[in-house]
Amino acid sequence: LCASAVCAAQTTAPGSVPVDPLRDEREQAPAQHQQPQQLESIVVIGEKLGRTLDETASSVAVVSGRQLDDYGDDNVYQSFKRMGNVADAGDEYGYSIRGVSVGGAEGAGTGAPVISTYLDGVALDSWASYANVLDAFDVAQAEVLRGAQSTSQGRNAMAGAVVVSTREPTDYWALRARIRAAQLGERQYALAGGGPLGAGFSFRLMGDYQRDDGYLKNVTLNDPTWGAHE
């Protein structure tokens, strides 16, 4: 018996390069003892039970804040285009779940809402949705619960519910910023951040300002910003 390097040197013909036959086995050996990487579990908050996505019984579509950033979504509603049985018509009033519109079963938008929308546990009315409070800038997770959710989300959730949560305060200092400029005078200035206060308390503040000149022009008054939003 001899060491592998010695045996390789003894059996090498003149002019050839010595090769260690056990080198590959030694390099692969540490990989066999590595621990498998654990993926972070997705916890569904819409059911209020704290169960993971694999354990929940409801039909739920979940999108994370990282995915919203990767796809370049301006708001949560734009992510509906990538969800099954959820349709988005391009505005805050135009989405539906399983064919039922958010504005009511008759589809005219004048009846009682049958899809509830929540932001950090607070129910939003149609005016709040129109104000674009569901901008994707500081969203941590958005969920769409398909089907009746009246038991956990109230009587206005007969067709489903949209549950959105923003980023939680952290025990370290963090800051996010966004500056955007586009055509038709569109501008956005957003800032979010916070950090520890001590004694186990933390805080986070977020501000988001948006404006645009709109798509309409009043030819009578010669006002190109007739349809402006702020």
Side-chain angles (χ1 to χ4, degrees), residues 216-227:
L216 303 178
K217 177 182 179 179
N218 189 322
V219 295
T220 303
L221 301 177
N222 194 26
D223 185 0
T225 61
W226 182 259

Side-chain angles (χ1 to χ4, degrees), residues 6-194:
V6 177
C7 294
Q10 293 176 352
T11 57
T12 301
S16 62
V17 179
V19 177
D20 185 356
L22 301 180
R23 180 179 178 182
D24 293 340
E25 297 180 4
R26 290 200 302 267
E27 290 179 349
Q28 296 176 2
Q32 298 176 358
H33 299 286
Q34 293 179 357
Q35 296 295 330
Q37 185 177 4
Q38 297 292 333
L39 299 179
E40 184 178 358
S41 299
I42 299 177
V43 179
V44 177
I45 61 177
E47 285 191 333
K48 303 180 181 180
L49 296 175
R51 295 187 297 192
T52 64
L53 184 60
D54 295 334
E55 297 172 344
T56 183
S58 300
S59 178
V60 184
V62 180
V63 58
S64 65
R66 176 66 179 272
Q67 290 173 319
L68 292 172
D69 293 338
D70 291 343
Y71 282 101
D73 294 333
D74 293 334
N75 51 57
V76 174
Y77 304 106
Q78 293 184 1
S79 67
F80 294 169
K81 298 182 177 68
R82 300 185 299 274
M83 298 180 182
N85 290 327
V86 184
D88 173 41
D91 55 63
E92 288 78 2
Y93 295 103
Y95 71 92
S96 60
I97 298 178
R98 291 180 174 173
V100 181
S101 173
V102 63
E106 67 276 5
T110 58
V114 291
I115 300 176
S116 295
T117 304
Y118 292 88
L119 176 62
D120 290 333
V122 178
L124 304 181
D125 58 10
S126 58
W127 289 105
S129 299
Y130 185 72
N132 198 25
V133 297
L134 295 185
D135 186 86
F137 168 65
D138 204 40
V139 169
Q141 181 169 300
E143 305 172 6
V144 175
L145 288 80
R146 309 179 186 93
Q149 304 295 326
S150 302
T151 301
S152 59
Q153 302 297 342
R155 64 179 182 177
N156 290 338
M158 295 182 62
V162 176
V163 181
V164 181
S165 60
T166 57
R167 287 181 169 86
E168 295 284 347
T170 58
D171 56 359
Y172 55 87
W173 293 100
L175 183 67
R176 288 170 54 89
R178 174 186 290 177
I179 300 178
R180 183 174 62 177
Q183 60 182 355
L184 299 176
E186 182 178 353
R187 300 291 186 270
Q188 180 183 12
Y189 309 97
L191 185 68

